[in-house]
Amino acid sequence: TYVEMSPFMSANKIKKPILLIHGEEDNNSGTLTMQSDRFFNALKGHGALCRLVILPFESHGYAARESILHVLWETDRWLQKHCVPNSSDASAELDACRDEVSKGVTDSDNQTVVASGGGGPELADFEHEGFYSLPRSLL
């Protein structure tokens, strides 16, 4: 049953862009953080366009205000970038990404991101100038 239900067995079948978000300190025995990391690597290995965001200090359910806002921002950014109205544009973009992966070019979305709350490598990638992050102690 576990083998049949395992997403690892379907990693080669996933052809659409996929965003994975996981709490770093997930205490649910059925959804350990390392499983998301391994699934992400399996997807990358099969050439899928994917992104893994690890939320620090979060368990199975996200509670911190900045984590919830970050999830919303990541989701909005992902949808804006990969859910275009013209499906031919989306398939052309996906094919171009696959070509780049096969040539050894790393897509900026094919990465693991630790959502640290500011100052990390993702800071330059913000498209919204009015985004400011507060330290956890001030929230």
Side-chain angles (χ1 to χ4, degrees), residues 109-127:
D109 281 330
N110 246 356
Q111 62 186 347
T112 302
V113 177
V114 177
S116 62
E122 283 290 305
L123 190 58
D125 201 22
F126 287 143
E127 296 171 1

Side-chain angles (χ1 to χ4, degrees), residues 41-114:
N41 288 321
L43 290 168
K44 279 193 340 184
H46 287 289
L49 181 61
C50 54
R51 181 174 178 85
L52 172 61
V53 179
I54 304 293
L55 300 172
F57 310 113
E58 291 294 352
S59 185
H60 191 67
Y62 315 135
R65 181 175 166 210
E66 66 256 19
S67 295
I68 294 167
L69 292 173
H70 191 84
V71 167
L72 292 171
W73 180 82
E74 286 282 354
T75 305
D76 181 61
R77 181 173 166 251
W78 187 263
L79 292 172
Q80 292 292 329
K81 191 170 186 180
H82 298 290
C83 295
V84 292
N86 188 346
S87 62
S88 63
D89 290 344
S91 62
E93 182 179 326
L94 187 56
D95 290 338
C97 290
R98 284 195 185 125
D99 291 342
E100 289 175 358
V101 169
S102 66
K103 292 177 187 172
V105 177
T106 305
D107 183 7
S108 63
D109 281 330
N110 246 356
Q111 62 186 347
T112 302
V113 177
V114 177

